[in-house]
Amino acid sequence: MLAGLIIIVSGKVTGVSFRSSAKKEAEKLGLNGYARNIETEKGEAVEIMIEGEEEILSEFLAWATKGPKTAKVKELEFNYREYTGEFAGFEVVEE
């Protein structure tokens, strides 16, 4: 079943290639969406919006709990959402 997933990852996740690593992982799994840095009340974080097969999204979510070796994920929040099909590929959004 196709679905969407919004993930907010906080901790040491900016300046450690988290977004580019998310792109590589998403492309490896055949998922579409984006990753961008955001500011939250807890500090800097990475927001990932991703779409694809629900079971593959679960694989990506498992990866996101750790991220690249240079990251230190402190907290991860996620919400599933309806699939929209609005993304073609995966993009790293530069601020």
Side-chain angles (χ1 to χ4, degrees):
M1 173 183 222
L2 292 173
L5 183 61
I6 299 173
I7 305 169
I8 306 292
V9 187
S10 57
K12 184 182 174 190
V13 295
T14 59
V16 294
S17 301
F18 201 101
R19 292 176 299 155
S20 60
S21 296
K23 177 180 173 65
K24 287 178 189 169
E25 188 67 17
E27 288 174 342
K28 181 178 92 174
L29 295 171
L31 300 170
N32 298 318
Y34 68 81
R36 67 179 180 154
N37 290 338
I38 61 169
E39 191 69 37
T40 70
E41 65 273 356
K42 298 174 187 175
E44 293 183 336
V46 172
E47 175 188 72
I48 302 168
M49 176 58 223
I50 198 156
E51 292 189 332
E53 289 291 336
E54 202 167 331
E55 63 188 48
I56 306 297
L57 291 175
S58 295
E59 288 182 46
F60 184 89
L61 187 57
W63 172 86
T65 62
K66 297 180 186 99
K69 292 179 183 179
T70 52
K72 297 224 182 325
V73 175
K74 184 176 177 182
E75 186 176 340
L76 183 140
E77 300 172 28
F78 68 94
N79 286 301
Y80 282 92
R81 64 170 224 161
E82 201 172 303
Y83 178 83
T84 64
E86 66 186 284
F87 305 108
F90 193 93
E91 178 183 359
V92 172
V93 177
E94 301 293 339
E95 304 306 316

